[in-house]
Amino acid sequence: MRTGVTRVLLVMKGSGALHGAFKIFRRNHHSVGIIGAPFSKGQSRDGVQLGPDLIRAAGLVEKLKGQGCTVKDYGNLTFEEVAKDETTGRAKRPRAVGQANKQLSEAVRKIKNEGHACVMLGGDHSLAIGSIHGHAACGTQLSVVWVDAHADINTPLTTPTGNIHGQPMSYLIHELRSKIPVMPNFSWLKPCIAAEDVVYIGLRDVDPEEHYILKYLGIKTFSMTEVDYLGIAKVMEQTCDHIFSKVKKPIHLSYDIDALDPSLAPATGTPVVGGLTYREGIYITEHICQTGLLSAVDMVEVNPKRGGTDNGVRSTVDAAVDLLLGCFGRVREGSHSADYKIPDP
Ligand SMILES: [Mn+2]
Protein backbone atom coordinates (compact mmCIF):
# COMPACT_ATOMS: atom_id res chain seq x y z
CA MET A 1 0.00 0.00 0.00
CA ARG A 2 1.24 3.44 -0.85
CA THR A 3 2.06 5.69 2.05
CA GLY A 4 0.85 9.22 1.76
CA VAL A 5 -1.80 9.25 -0.89
CA THR A 6 -3.81 6.17 0.04
CA ARG A 7 -7.46 7.08 0.16
CA VAL A 8 -10.56 5.15 0.84
CA LEU A 9 -13.21 5.51 -1.80
CA LEU A 10 -16.86 4.91 -1.33
CA VAL A 11 -18.31 3.46 -4.46
CA MET A 12 -21.92 2.62 -4.82
CA LYS A 13 -22.49 -0.78 -6.31
CA GLY A 14 -25.78 -2.04 -7.61
CA SER A 15 -28.27 -0.69 -10.07
CA GLY A 16 -29.74 2.02 -7.89
CA ALA A 17 -29.48 3.83 -4.61
CA LEU A 18 -31.93 1.59 -2.77
CA HIS A 19 -30.54 -1.57 -4.24
CA GLY A 20 -26.94 -0.58 -3.76
CA ALA A 21 -24.88 -1.69 -0.83
CA PHE A 22 -21.87 0.54 -0.30
CA LYS A 23 -18.66 -1.16 -1.10
CA ILE A 24 -15.30 0.07 0.01
CA PHE A 25 -12.35 0.02 -2.32
CA ARG A 26 -8.94 1.01 -1.07
CA ARG A 27 -6.79 2.70 -3.65
CA ASN A 28 -3.49 0.91 -3.63
CA HIS A 29 -0.11 1.97 -4.76
CA HIS A 30 0.51 1.03 -8.38
CA SER A 31 3.81 -0.39 -9.53
CA VAL A 32 3.82 -0.20 -13.32
CA GLY A 33 6.15 -1.90 -15.78
CA ILE A 34 6.06 -0.57 -19.35
CA ILE A 35 7.06 -2.53 -22.44
CA GLY A 36 7.00 -1.02 -25.92
CA ALA A 37 6.22 -3.23 -28.90
CA PRO A 38 6.86 -1.20 -32.08
CA PHE A 39 5.30 -3.80 -34.32
CA SER A 40 3.07 -3.28 -37.37
CA LYS A 41 2.97 -6.58 -39.30
CA GLY A 42 -0.41 -7.59 -37.94
CA GLN A 43 -1.90 -5.14 -40.44
CA SER A 44 -0.77 -3.35 -43.56
CA ARG A 45 -0.55 0.34 -42.66
CA ASP A 46 2.79 1.91 -41.89
CA GLY A 47 3.12 4.08 -38.78
CA VAL A 48 1.59 2.06 -35.96
CA GLN A 49 5.11 0.95 -34.93
CA LEU A 50 5.69 4.57 -33.84
CA GLY A 51 3.04 4.31 -31.10
CA PRO A 52 5.21 3.36 -28.10
CA ASP A 53 7.69 6.22 -28.43
CA LEU A 54 4.96 8.71 -29.21
CA ILE A 55 3.00 7.76 -26.10
CA ARG A 56 6.18 8.03 -24.02
CA ALA A 57 7.02 11.41 -25.58
CA ALA A 58 3.63 12.67 -24.41
CA GLY A 59 4.86 12.20 -20.84
CA LEU A 60 3.37 8.87 -19.81
CA VAL A 61 6.12 7.89 -17.37
CA GLU A 62 6.38 11.33 -15.72
CA LYS A 63 2.62 11.63 -15.41
CA LEU A 64 2.26 8.17 -13.86
CA LYS A 65 4.99 9.05 -11.34
CA GLY A 66 3.28 12.37 -10.72
CA GLN A 67 0.15 10.56 -9.56
CA GLY A 68 2.15 8.38 -7.19
CA CYS A 69 2.95 5.31 -9.26
CA THR A 70 6.28 3.57 -9.26
CA VAL A 71 7.30 3.07 -12.89
CA LYS A 72 9.89 0.87 -14.53
CA ASP A 73 10.25 1.33 -18.27
CA TYR A 74 11.57 -1.85 -19.89
CA GLY A 75 12.10 -0.05 -23.22
CA ASN A 76 11.10 -1.35 -26.61
CA LEU A 77 11.39 -4.84 -28.00
CA THR A 78 13.31 -5.17 -31.26
CA PHE A 79 11.96 -7.43 -33.94
CA GLU A 80 13.93 -9.14 -36.67
CA GLU A 81 12.87 -8.99 -40.28
CA VAL A 82 11.39 -12.19 -41.63
CA ALA A 83 12.55 -12.74 -45.22
CA LYS A 84 9.93 -15.09 -46.64
CA ASP A 85 6.60 -14.88 -44.88
CA GLU A 86 3.92 -16.47 -47.02
CA THR A 87 0.25 -16.36 -46.12
CA THR A 88 -1.10 -19.33 -44.11
CA GLY A 89 -4.79 -20.02 -44.58
CA ARG A 90 -5.70 -16.40 -45.18
CA ALA A 91 -3.44 -15.03 -42.45
CA LYS A 92 -0.79 -12.61 -43.66
CA ARG A 93 2.78 -12.48 -42.32
CA PRO A 94 2.27 -15.27 -39.76
CA ARG A 95 6.01 -15.81 -39.12
CA ALA A 96 6.65 -12.18 -38.20
CA VAL A 97 3.54 -12.01 -36.03
CA GLY A 98 4.27 -15.35 -34.34
CA GLN A 99 7.89 -14.44 -33.59
CA ALA A 100 7.09 -10.93 -32.29
CA ASN A 101 4.39 -12.26 -30.00
CA LYS A 102 6.66 -14.97 -28.64
CA GLN A 103 9.15 -12.25 -27.67
CA LEU A 104 6.39 -10.11 -26.20
CA SER A 105 4.94 -13.01 -24.21
CA GLU A 106 8.30 -13.61 -22.56
CA ALA A 107 8.74 -9.90 -21.80
CA VAL A 108 5.27 -9.60 -20.25
CA ARG A 109 5.78 -12.71 -18.16
CA LYS A 110 9.02 -11.24 -16.82
CA ILE A 111 7.37 -7.92 -15.95
CA LYS A 112 4.52 -9.71 -14.17
CA ASN A 113 6.95 -11.97 -12.31
CA GLU A 114 8.81 -8.87 -11.13
CA GLY A 115 5.58 -7.72 -9.49
CA HIS A 116 4.38 -4.92 -11.75
CA ALA A 117 1.14 -4.15 -13.46
CA CYS A 118 2.20 -4.49 -17.09
CA VAL A 119 1.52 -1.78 -19.66
CA MET A 120 2.11 -2.90 -23.24
CA LEU A 121 2.35 -0.06 -25.75
CA GLY A 122 1.65 -1.13 -29.33
CA GLY A 123 1.90 -1.51 -32.15
CA ASP A 124 -1.07 -3.19 -33.70
CA HIS A 125 -3.61 -5.34 -31.88
CA SER A 126 -2.08 -8.66 -32.98
CA LEU A 127 0.23 -7.97 -30.00
CA ALA A 128 -2.58 -8.92 -27.63
CA ILE A 129 -1.68 -12.53 -28.47
CA GLY A 130 1.70 -12.29 -26.77
CA SER A 131 0.61 -9.84 -24.09
CA ILE A 132 -2.30 -11.97 -22.87
CA HIS A 133 -0.37 -15.21 -23.26
CA GLY A 134 2.55 -13.86 -21.23
CA HIS A 135 0.19 -12.54 -18.58
CA ALA A 136 -1.65 -15.87 -18.34
CA ALA A 137 1.67 -17.74 -18.25
CA CYS A 138 2.16 -16.41 -14.72
CA GLY A 139 -0.25 -19.11 -13.65
CA THR A 140 -3.52 -17.40 -12.83
CA GLN A 141 -6.71 -17.54 -14.80
CA LEU A 142 -7.50 -14.11 -16.24
CA SER A 143 -10.48 -12.00 -17.13
CA VAL A 144 -10.13 -10.05 -20.37
CA VAL A 145 -11.90 -6.75 -20.97
CA TRP A 146 -11.54 -5.94 -24.66
CA VAL A 147 -12.37 -2.32 -25.54
CA ASP A 148 -12.49 -1.96 -29.31
CA ALA A 149 -14.64 -0.99 -32.28
CA HIS A 150 -13.87 -4.47 -33.63
CA ALA A 151 -14.13 -7.95 -32.13
CA ASP A 152 -10.72 -9.11 -33.45
CA ILE A 153 -11.95 -12.71 -33.26
CA ASN A 154 -11.72 -13.87 -36.87
CA THR A 155 -9.85 -17.13 -37.26
CA PRO A 156 -7.08 -17.46 -39.89
CA LEU A 157 -9.77 -19.14 -42.02
CA THR A 158 -12.58 -16.60 -41.60
CA THR A 159 -10.61 -13.37 -41.88
CA PRO A 160 -11.78 -11.19 -44.78
CA THR A 161 -8.55 -9.11 -44.81
CA GLY A 162 -5.90 -11.61 -43.71
CA ASN A 163 -4.58 -9.12 -41.16
CA ILE A 164 -3.79 -10.87 -37.88
CA HIS A 165 -4.67 -7.76 -35.85
CA GLY A 166 -8.27 -8.78 -36.61
CA GLN A 167 -7.72 -12.29 -35.24
CA PRO A 168 -5.89 -12.29 -31.88
CA MET A 169 -8.81 -13.47 -29.76
CA SER A 170 -9.30 -16.58 -31.87
CA TYR A 171 -5.84 -17.84 -30.93
CA LEU A 172 -6.32 -17.16 -27.22
CA ILE A 173 -9.73 -18.69 -26.49
CA HIS A 174 -9.78 -22.37 -25.45
CA GLU A 175 -13.09 -23.02 -27.18
CA LEU A 176 -11.69 -22.09 -30.61
CA ARG A 177 -8.65 -24.30 -30.38
CA SER A 178 -9.87 -26.82 -32.98
CA LYS A 179 -10.61 -24.01 -35.45
CA ILE A 180 -7.04 -22.72 -35.69
CA PRO A 181 -4.77 -24.24 -38.34
CA VAL A 182 -1.11 -24.95 -37.70
CA MET A 183 0.77 -21.69 -38.27
CA PRO A 184 4.50 -21.11 -38.69
CA ASN A 185 6.09 -19.57 -35.54
CA PHE A 186 2.94 -20.18 -33.50
CA SER A 187 3.86 -23.56 -31.99
CA TRP A 188 4.72 -21.86 -28.66
CA LEU A 189 1.18 -20.55 -28.33
CA LYS A 190 -1.53 -22.38 -26.41
CA PRO A 191 -4.99 -20.93 -25.76
CA CYS A 192 -5.20 -19.51 -22.26
CA ILE A 193 -8.57 -17.73 -21.94
CA ALA A 194 -12.08 -19.09 -21.41
CA ALA A 195 -14.85 -17.51 -23.49
CA GLU A 196 -16.87 -16.84 -20.31
CA ASP A 197 -14.01 -14.70 -18.95
CA VAL A 198 -14.12 -12.22 -21.86
CA VAL A 199 -16.16 -9.03 -22.10
CA TYR A 200 -16.23 -6.71 -25.12
CA ILE A 201 -17.05 -3.01 -24.93
CA GLY A 202 -17.48 -0.56 -27.82
CA LEU A 203 -18.20 -2.91 -30.73
CA ARG A 204 -19.64 -1.37 -33.89
CA ASP A 205 -17.87 -3.07 -36.81
CA VAL A 206 -18.23 -6.84 -36.50
CA ASP A 207 -17.87 -9.25 -39.45
CA PRO A 208 -20.67 -11.83 -39.94
CA GLU A 209 -18.28 -14.69 -39.14
CA GLU A 210 -17.20 -12.92 -35.98
CA HIS A 211 -20.80 -12.28 -35.00
CA TYR A 212 -21.48 -15.99 -35.34
CA ILE A 213 -18.43 -16.86 -33.22
CA LEU A 214 -19.41 -14.41 -30.47
CA LYS A 215 -22.94 -15.85 -30.30
CA TYR A 216 -21.73 -19.46 -30.63
CA LEU A 217 -19.38 -19.02 -27.69
CA GLY A 218 -21.87 -16.95 -25.68
CA ILE A 219 -19.36 -14.16 -25.17
CA LYS A 220 -20.57 -11.11 -23.24
CA THR A 221 -20.60 -8.06 -25.49
CA PHE A 222 -21.54 -4.42 -24.98
CA SER A 223 -21.72 -2.93 -28.45
CA MET A 224 -22.22 0.81 -28.87
CA THR A 225 -25.94 0.05 -28.84
CA GLU A 226 -25.70 -1.24 -25.26
CA VAL A 227 -23.48 1.71 -24.33
CA ASP A 228 -26.23 3.99 -25.66
CA TYR A 229 -29.04 2.06 -24.00
CA LEU A 230 -27.52 1.34 -20.61
CA GLY A 231 -25.04 4.17 -20.22
CA ILE A 232 -21.38 3.50 -19.50
CA ALA A 233 -21.85 3.20 -15.71
CA LYS A 234 -24.25 0.26 -16.05
CA VAL A 235 -22.08 -1.27 -18.76
CA MET A 236 -19.14 -1.30 -16.35
CA GLU A 237 -21.25 -2.56 -13.47
CA GLN A 238 -22.50 -5.45 -15.62
CA THR A 239 -19.01 -6.05 -16.99
CA CYS A 240 -17.71 -6.57 -13.48
CA ASP A 241 -20.74 -8.64 -12.45
CA HIS A 242 -19.95 -10.92 -15.38
CA ILE A 243 -16.21 -11.32 -14.91
CA PHE A 244 -16.49 -11.65 -11.13
CA SER A 245 -19.50 -13.96 -11.15
CA LYS A 246 -17.49 -17.00 -10.06
CA VAL A 247 -14.11 -15.93 -8.76
CA LYS A 248 -12.28 -12.61 -8.78
CA LYS A 249 -9.50 -13.02 -11.29
CA PRO A 250 -6.85 -10.51 -12.37
CA ILE A 251 -8.00 -8.32 -15.25
CA HIS A 252 -6.25 -7.92 -18.57
CA LEU A 253 -7.55 -4.73 -20.19
CA SER A 254 -6.88 -4.69 -23.93
CA TYR A 255 -7.64 -1.16 -25.13
CA ASP A 256 -7.72 -0.41 -28.84
CA ILE A 257 -7.64 3.36 -29.33
CA ASP A 258 -10.15 2.92 -32.17
CA ALA A 259 -12.82 2.20 -29.54
CA LEU A 260 -12.90 5.97 -29.09
CA ASP A 261 -14.77 8.08 -31.59
CA PRO A 262 -12.60 9.13 -34.56
CA SER A 263 -13.41 12.79 -33.86
CA LEU A 264 -11.33 12.34 -30.72
CA ALA A 265 -8.85 9.67 -31.83
CA PRO A 266 -8.45 9.89 -35.62
CA ALA A 267 -4.85 8.64 -35.72
CA THR A 268 -5.57 4.95 -36.04
CA GLY A 269 -5.60 2.44 -38.88
CA THR A 270 -9.25 1.39 -38.93
CA PRO A 271 -11.40 4.22 -37.50
CA VAL A 272 -15.15 3.65 -37.24
CA VAL A 273 -17.65 6.46 -36.67
CA GLY A 274 -19.96 6.35 -33.65
CA GLY A 275 -17.45 5.45 -30.96
CA LEU A 276 -16.94 6.08 -27.27
CA THR A 277 -16.71 9.65 -26.05
CA TYR A 278 -13.66 10.77 -24.10
CA ARG A 279 -15.69 10.58 -20.90
CA GLU A 280 -16.98 7.06 -21.59
CA GLY A 281 -13.47 5.90 -22.50
CA ILE A 282 -12.02 7.33 -19.31
CA TYR A 283 -14.85 6.02 -17.16
CA ILE A 284 -14.01 2.47 -18.25
CA THR A 285 -10.45 2.86 -16.97
CA GLU A 286 -11.52 4.51 -13.70
CA HIS A 287 -14.00 1.76 -12.98
CA ILE A 288 -11.53 -1.02 -13.72
CA CYS A 289 -8.90 0.70 -11.61
CA GLN A 290 -11.29 0.75 -8.67
CA THR A 291 -11.71 -3.02 -8.76
CA GLY A 292 -8.11 -3.28 -7.55
CA LEU A 293 -7.66 -6.23 -9.94
CA LEU A 294 -6.15 -4.57 -12.99
CA SER A 295 -3.03 -6.57 -13.75
CA ALA A 296 -2.11 -5.69 -17.35
CA VAL A 297 -3.14 -3.17 -20.00
CA ASP A 298 -2.56 -3.05 -23.74
CA MET A 299 -2.77 0.33 -25.48
CA VAL A 300 -2.69 -0.33 -29.20
CA GLU A 301 -3.31 0.96 -32.73
CA VAL A 302 -2.14 4.55 -32.25
CA ASN A 303 -0.85 5.43 -35.72
CA PRO A 304 0.55 8.95 -36.22
CA LYS A 305 0.61 8.50 -39.99
CA ARG A 306 -3.17 8.17 -40.06
CA GLY A 307 -4.16 11.22 -38.05
CA GLY A 308 -4.67 13.63 -40.90
CA THR A 309 -3.43 16.64 -38.95
CA ASP A 310 -0.96 17.33 -36.15
CA ASN A 311 -3.91 18.13 -33.92
CA GLY A 312 -5.51 14.80 -34.76
CA VAL A 313 -2.36 12.93 -33.83
CA ARG A 314 -1.93 14.93 -30.63
CA SER A 315 -5.53 14.36 -29.60
CA THR A 316 -5.17 10.61 -30.18
CA VAL A 317 -1.91 10.29 -28.28
CA ASP A 318 -3.15 12.46 -25.40
CA ALA A 319 -6.26 10.29 -25.15
CA ALA A 320 -4.09 7.16 -24.99
CA VAL A 321 -2.04 8.69 -22.16
CA ASP A 322 -5.14 9.81 -20.25
CA LEU A 323 -6.67 6.33 -20.54
CA LEU A 324 -3.51 4.84 -19.06
CA LEU A 325 -3.51 7.41 -16.25
CA GLY A 326 -7.12 6.46 -15.51
CA CYS A 327 -6.04 2.83 -15.25
CA PHE A 328 -3.61 3.68 -12.47
CA GLY A 329 -5.36 5.96 -10.07
CA ARG A 330 -6.14 9.26 -11.71
CA VAL A 331 -9.61 10.44 -10.78
CA ARG A 332 -11.33 13.47 -12.19
CA GLU A 333 -12.46 14.75 -8.82
CA GLY A 334 -8.79 15.32 -7.96
CA SER A 335 -6.87 13.95 -4.99
CA HIS A 336 -4.57 15.05 -2.19
CA SER A 337 -1.97 13.48 0.04
CA ALA A 338 -3.16 12.13 3.40
CA ASP A 339 -0.94 14.49 5.37
CA TYR A 340 -1.90 17.69 3.53
CA LYS A 341 -2.80 20.67 5.71
CA ILE A 342 -4.12 24.07 4.65
CA PRO A 343 -1.28 26.49 5.39
CA ASP A 344 -1.87 28.82 8.34
CA PRO A 345 -1.12 32.50 7.72
MN1 LIG B 1 -8.42 -4.11 -32.12
Side-chain angles (χ1 to χ4, degrees):
M1 189 188 307
R2 169 169 63 178
T3 54
V5 200
T6 301
R7 301 192 320 152
V8 173
L9 290 181
L10 291 173
V11 174
M12 199 165 64
K13 185 140 185 343
S15 55
L18 295 172
H19 172 78
F22 282 94
K23 201 165 188 179
I24 295 171
F25 292 95
R26 181 164 285 131
R27 173 128 0 105
N28 289 326
H29 166 253
H30 300 281
S31 170
V32 180
I34 299 175
I35 183 74
F39 182 78
S40 64
K41 302 279 174 59
Q43 45 88 67
S44 48
R45 292 179 170 125
D46 185 47
V48 75
Q49 73 280 3
L50 303 171
D53 287 344
L54 216 59
I55 293 170
R56 285 194 187 89
L60 175 64
V61 172
E62 297 73 19
K63 288 173 179 174
L64 283 170
K65 286 180 178 168
Q67 63 188 41
C69 298
T70 304
V71 183
K72 180 172 178 184
D73 190 345
Y74 288 76
N76 286 347
L77 295 171
T78 52
F79 304 111
E80 282 179 21
E81 285 293 318
V82 178
K84 264 184 97 186
D85 204 352
E86 289 123 351
T87 298
T88 302
R90 296 178 178 179
K92 293 174 183 166
R93 297 173 290 276
R95 291 163 193 81
V97 175
Q99 177 57 34
N101 276 290
K102 183 166 186 263
Q103 287 175 242
L104 177 59
S105 173
E106 285 158 11
V108 169
R109 176 158 51 169
K110 177 169 185 272
I111 292 170
K112 286 308 303 170
N113 284 338
E114 291 181 2
H116 307 288
C118 182
V119 170
M120 188 280 284
L121 305 176
D124 70 64
H125 218 166
S126 70
L127 294 161
I129 298 170
S131 180
I132 292 176
H133 180 272
H135 189 188
C138 300
T140 47
Q141 215 187 327
L142 303 178
S143 302
V144 175
V145 179
W146 193 278
V147 185
D148 201 323
H150 313 90
D152 295 353
I153 198 168
N154 273 293
T155 78
L157 303 177
T158 69
T159 169
T161 65
N163 294 323
I164 300 181
H165 78 156
Q167 307 167 32
M169 277 304 245
S170 75
Y171 301 88
L172 293 165
I173 292 180
H174 293 297
E175 289 89 339
L176 289 174
R177 183 169 201 159
S178 68
K179 306 296 181 189
I180 306 298
V182 174
M183 307 257 291
N185 286 2
F186 276 73
S187 61
W188 58 275
L189 178 65
K190 301 281 174 290
C192 50
I193 301 295
E196 66 176 6
D197 293 330
V198 177
V199 175
Y200 281 96
I201 302 170
L203 297 177
R204 58 193 182 277
D205 184 8
V206 177
D207 297 325
E209 298 83 355
E210 292 185 298
H211 188 256
Y212 180 87
I213 292 168
L214 292 171
K215 297 294 168 192
Y216 172 72
L217 297 179
I219 292 177
K220 188 77 175 169
T221 61
F222 297 97
S223 73
M224 287 310 300
T225 302
E226 280 75 38
V227 174
D228 286 341
Y229 178 68
L230 295 168
I232 198 67
K234 280 225 165 54
V235 166
M236 292 316 298
E237 197 179 287
Q238 292 182 16
T239 293
C240 289
D241 286 350
H242 183 82
I243 58 179
F244 298 152
S245 62
K246 287 182 183 154
V247 56
K248 293 203 165 187
K249 299 180 279 290
I251 298 172
H252 189 111
L253 175 62
S254 203
Y255 215 123
D256 190 322
I257 201 70
D258 73 26
L260 300 182
D261 193 80
S263 59
L264 167 68
T268 190
T270 52
V272 188
V273 292
L276 298 169
T277 64
Y278 179 87
R279 285 158 55 180
E280 289 165 340
I282 292 289
Y283 187 90
I284 293 169
T285 64
E286 289 175 341
H287 192 97
I288 289 192
C289 177
Q290 284 181 356
T291 66
L293 287 164
L294 181 58
S295 181
V297 187
D298 309 323
M299 181 54 65
V300 297
E301 300 283 356
V302 171
N303 185 339
K305 296 195 177 180
R306 305 296 296 183
T309 63
D310 287 352
N311 277 342
V313 174
R314 196 171 309 120
S315 162
T316 309
V317 174
D318 287 348
V321 170
D322 287 354
L323 292 170
L324 289 167
L325 299 180
C327 287
F328 298 106
R330 188 167 93 160
V331 287
R332 286 172 283 179
E333 67 159 68
S335 60
H336 63 270
S337 63
D339 54 1
Y340 180 76
K341 289 190 178 61
I342 300 171
D344 294 315

